Amino acid sequence: MTANPGVQRVRWMEGGGPAADLVLSSRIRLARNLEDYPFPTLLGPEQGQEIIRLMEGVTEHLSAAGLGRFTLLRMADLSPLDRRVLVEQHLISPQHARNAATGAVILNDDRSISIMVNEEDHLRIQCLLGGLQLHEAWAVATRVDDVIEAHVRYAFDDERGYLTTCPTNLGTGIRASVMVHLPGLVLARQAGRLLSQLGKVGMVVRGLYGEGTEALGNVFQVSNQITLGPSEEELIDNLIGFTRQLLDQERSARERLYRENEDGVKDRVMRAYGLLTNAWTISSEEAIRLLSDLRLGIDLNVLSHVRPEVFNELIVLTRPACLQKLAGKELDARERDLLRARLIRERIAAALRKTTQ
Amino acid sequence: MLCDECGQRKATVHLTQIINGKKTERHLCAHCAQRHEHEFFFEPQFSIHNLLAGLLEGWQPPAGTVQDLRCSRCGLRYREFARTGLLGCSHCYDDFRQQLEPVLRRIQGQVRHGGKVPSRAGSRVQLGRQLEQLRARLREAVAREEYEEAARLRDQIRQLEQRVRAGEGWAGTAGPGAPPGGPGSAPPGTAPGR
Ligand SMILES: [Zn+2]
Ligand SMILES: [Zn+2]
């Protein structure tokens, strides 16, 4: 619905999906390798190009499978800026962006599917959707996998499953992950304790910390650690189970926070709103922190007139490469801070709900 | 606190990872953080590699023996794998089998794949799994002294075993099938129990 001038439509950034108030995105990633080639660690440039050409042929079959139109892009043909935009949109990894010699990516038109070619494994099939939709993402990823498998020969072993470059991906090759927004738990100072408990039961949790102990944007990523043994569905169910527990805890933390200190919460939210809608220049870190407060305010109905998806969109669009893509040129830090502030003002204004009717 | 990377400016960005209850921290100044921004923003594999490298480091094989072990197909040295956590080809899993087993147990807990199977290998693997399940049910039936059920299961197992012997599922319908007894097909009964 919202067109991003200069930046391609990316489905997960539009929000939506179940539990979308707390879960920004769900991702399924499958690691696959072709039997007849060494893993990318030892892959020569010619062999790498051979695999890319092979996958170019498969791209047509993918388009024919009814999952959207697919395009193969070679890293070498993309500008450094375009590659960084793909990283910021979570469509390719940072190391893949640097692989100009043998790297390629296959994307469908709404960017819900991306296939990295010659990353750590020959293929990394990824499906990325908004909200808590891991089973849905798995259904898509496994279909893509089936289409590819009809045309190539995977390295597979009855006992060890899909053979991967790193043994931490062996078996199913699946990495399921959810990106969650947990400002309540962070404000209640419970995030660290809870997340370390998750770590003990085979989940990996990551967050980017800003000044002090506050996670930047209060956004965390939770993913499965084990890939061998259980089936894909079991691993996904397991992750969903833990995510639901985390969401319950977050909801009760928010309720308690609001009950015990309504004025404090409102003040925090309204200050964030005031700054975001008036700041003339703003750093990436400050923006993400304030956007998290804004989103909390929207979820708690303190700011009922702002549409929530603006958060999902802005935490990506305000990052350096996306900003420069929007501007259509390289920007220095000062110029980025200026543009970031303007973009936020404009997008929030556009995200106001129409009050007519 | 000074930046971990340049050691000159004040650290203002603090990255914390919690993996299996183990916490690691990095402290960077805004300048260095900017350069690394992409790396630690939502990149789970980075931390999982660190975990593996840590495991391999703590697990030192006896000197001289394993250190010079090489994969017979791609030539990767085990020493190199222990340093990076990355293998060179699918055959490495066979040539480093003995060394990898304890590592896999520590990372994965289990060492037998229980998930999706590519359709090429599908019918063969599915027959094998079906057989395994039937044998388990047979043992249970015998233990419960339900002999009629046990006899029925035994017949089913025999039928399936015949189909396996007849080579069903090796060639399949999709293209050139895997040769019988291809790499990694362990002799029956040697499968690690768990
Ligand atoms: Zn520094
Ligand atoms: Zn090898």
Side-chain angles (χ1 to χ4, degrees):
Chain A
M1 189 185 69
T2 39
N4 308 325
V7 178
Q8 173 81 34
R9 175 183 173 222
V10 178
R11 180 148 149 211
W12 78 266
M13 284 166 56
E14 293 165 6
D21 54 332
L22 302 179
V23 184
L24 303 186
S25 68
S26 295
R27 166 157 74 175
I28 294 290
R29 194 216 63 200
L30 304 176
R32 298 287 187 258
N33 286 286
L34 309 186
E35 194 172 72
D36 307 320
Y37 295 88
F39 292 155
T41 25
L42 295 179
L43 195 70
E46 293 88 45
Q47 287 173 307
Q49 290 304 324
E50 233 177 275
I51 293 179
I52 293 179
R53 279 195 297 275
L54 194 66
M55 290 309 294
E56 220 160 16
V58 175
T59 304
E60 292 163 27
H61 298 290
L62 283 167
S63 292
L67 294 159
R69 273 210 62 77
F70 288 77
T71 324
L72 182 140
L73 304 167
R74 287 174 165 80
M75 281 307 126
D77 296 341
L78 293 174
S79 71
L81 182 60
D82 282 331
R83 295 183 216 168
R84 273 183 284 141
V85 168
L86 292 176
V87 173
E88 290 178 359
Q89 293 172 337
H90 305 173
L91 299 174
I92 65 172
S93 68
Q95 55 266 46
H96 200 55
R98 288 192 288 267
N99 180 9
T102 59
V105 63
I106 300 171
L107 296 165
N108 71 341
D109 32 24
D110 70 359
R111 302 314 197 229
S112 55
I113 301 166
S114 69
I115 304 163
M116 283 189 276
V117 183
N118 298 327
E119 206 243 19
E120 185 184 295
D121 294 291
H122 293 142
L123 303 177
R124 288 268 172 107
I125 303 164
Q126 174 180 281
C127 178
L128 191 57
L129 299 174
L132 188 54
Q133 302 197 70
L134 284 171
H135 281 296
E136 293 79 355
W138 158 244
V140 172
T142 190
R143 267 187 71 198
V144 172
D145 184 42
D146 290 341
V147 172
I148 298 174
E149 197 235 318
H151 302 278
V152 303
R153 224 177 137 82
Y154 281 153
F156 180 85
D157 177 278
D158 293 2
E159 200 181 311
R160 304 190 194 93
Y162 293 93
L163 301 176
T164 51
T165 306
C166 181
T168 52
N169 295 314
L170 187 66
T172 54
I174 199 173
R175 195 73 62 201
S177 52
V178 286
M179 207 158 70
V180 285
H181 182 224
L182 307 174
L185 287 170
V186 174
L187 281 173
R189 306 205 174 280
Q190 290 175 8
R193 186 183 54 82
L194 252 167
L195 296 177
S196 67
Q197 281 171 1
L198 273 186
K200 284 185 194 124
V201 290
M203 303 283 144
V204 181
V205 185
R206 294 172 51 82
L208 179 61
Y209 281 68
E211 278 183 66
T213 54
E214 219 175 322
L216 200 49
N218 303 315
V219 173
F220 299 87
Q221 191 184 56
V222 186
S223 40
N224 66 303
Q225 187 189 304
I226 288 162
T227 56
L228 179 65
S231 71
E232 290 82 356
E233 284 85 1
E234 286 169 325
L235 289 168
I236 290 169
D237 282 339
N238 203 13
L239 182 60
I240 291 179
F242 285 111
T243 304
R244 291 234 165 90
Q245 281 181 33
L246 208 55
L247 301 188
D248 285 347
Q249 304 258 19
E250 168 66 17
R251 291 208 170 92
S252 59
R254 287 180 182 193
E255 261 168 46
R256 209 172 330 115
L257 213 66
Y258 200 61
R259 204 171 50 234
E260 286 168 6
N261 189 4
E262 187 180 330
D263 290 332
V265 171
K266 279 184 172 164
D267 186 58
R268 193 181 170 109
V269 168
M270 296 314 288
R271 279 170 190 274
Y273 183 65
L275 278 170
L276 288 167
T277 49
N278 288 286
W280 196 251
T281 155
I282 194 164
S283 73
S284 164
E285 194 181 333
E286 186 184 15
I288 289 180
R289 209 172 54 232
L290 293 172
L291 284 167
S292 171
D293 289 345
L294 180 85
R295 177 69 202 249
L296 177 66
I298 297 170
D299 292 346
L300 289 172
N301 253 321
V302 177
L303 288 170
S304 53
H305 61 296
V306 186
R307 280 202 308 273
E309 311 83 70
V310 74
F311 171 71
N312 309 33
E313 191 189 40
L314 282 175
I315 56 166
V316 175
L317 289 185
T318 55
R319 305 187 61 70
C322 278
L323 274 179
Q324 296 178 68
K325 185 72 189 171
L326 281 172
K329 58 175 188 204
E330 297 271 330
L331 302 172
D332 63 28
R334 190 191 62 91
E335 290 171 321
R336 286 202 300 269
D337 289 353
L338 280 168
L339 178 60
R340 183 178 293 114
R342 198 185 73 186
L343 180 75
I344 291 172
R345 293 194 307 268
E346 288 173 1
R347 291 292 160 127
I348 292 178
L352 295 183
R353 294 178 198 276
K354 289 189 184 75
T355 41
T356 51
Q357 282 184 333
Chain B
M1 185 190 296
L2 288 178
C3 170
D4 283 348
E5 189 143 316
C6 62
Q8 306 206 326
R9 286 172 289 262
K10 195 170 155 269
T12 55
V13 178
H14 308 275
L15 170 72
T16 306
Q17 301 175 48
I18 303 160
I19 303 153
N20 264 1
K22 212 178 117 192
K23 204 165 154 184
T24 55
E25 290 181 31
R26 275 168 88 192
H27 310 279
L28 302 171
C29 69
H31 184 80
C32 293
Q34 185 96 35
R35 263 190 296 126
H36 285 275
E37 191 169 38
H38 302 303
E39 270 169 54
F40 47 64
F41 213 75
F42 310 130
E43 265 314 306
Q45 58 221 25
F46 162 72
S47 56
I48 290 167
H49 275 166
N50 286 0
L51 169 82
L52 178 67
L55 275 178
L56 290 167
E57 224 172 275
W59 189 77
Q60 283 297 333
T65 51
V66 176
Q67 288 302 304
D68 297 319
L69 193 66
R70 293 184 96 154
C71 170
S72 58
R73 192 188 287 170
C74 72
L76 183 87
R77 284 174 194 280
Y78 183 80
R79 193 193 313 163
E80 188 62 12
F81 164 67
R83 195 177 62 79
T84 61
L86 303 174
L87 292 165
C89 76
S90 55
H91 197 71
C92 291
Y93 279 102
D94 294 320
D95 281 3
F96 301 156
R97 189 185 184 93
Q98 245 187 316
Q99 289 70 36
L100 277 172
E101 193 97 344
V103 178
L104 282 178
R105 274 191 195 285
R106 286 186 66 184
I107 317 168
Q108 302 278 6
Q110 300 182 57
V111 290
R112 263 193 96 89
H113 178 55
K116 185 176 175 176
V117 167
S119 64
R120 253 183 241 284
S123 40
R124 171 169 45 94
V125 174
Q126 258 140 31
L127 280 181
R129 279 191 193 164
Q130 234 176 316
L131 262 177
E132 233 170 85
Q133 281 170 4
L134 284 172
R135 287 188 186 122
R137 278 171 58 197
L138 175 63
R139 281 193 298 274
E140 281 166 29
V142 171
R144 284 196 308 265
E145 303 187 6
E146 291 168 0
Y147 296 114
E148 251 175 70
E149 169 77 355
R152 202 179 57 78
L153 287 166
R154 185 201 56 210
D155 291 344
Q156 272 185 30
I157 290 171
R158 278 189 188 151
Q159 266 179 11
L160 265 188
E161 281 173 342
Q162 259 166 22
R163 280 167 62 189
V164 172
R165 264 196 300 277
E168 188 179 323
W170 286 112
T173 49
S185 62
T190 58
R194 201 194 137 117

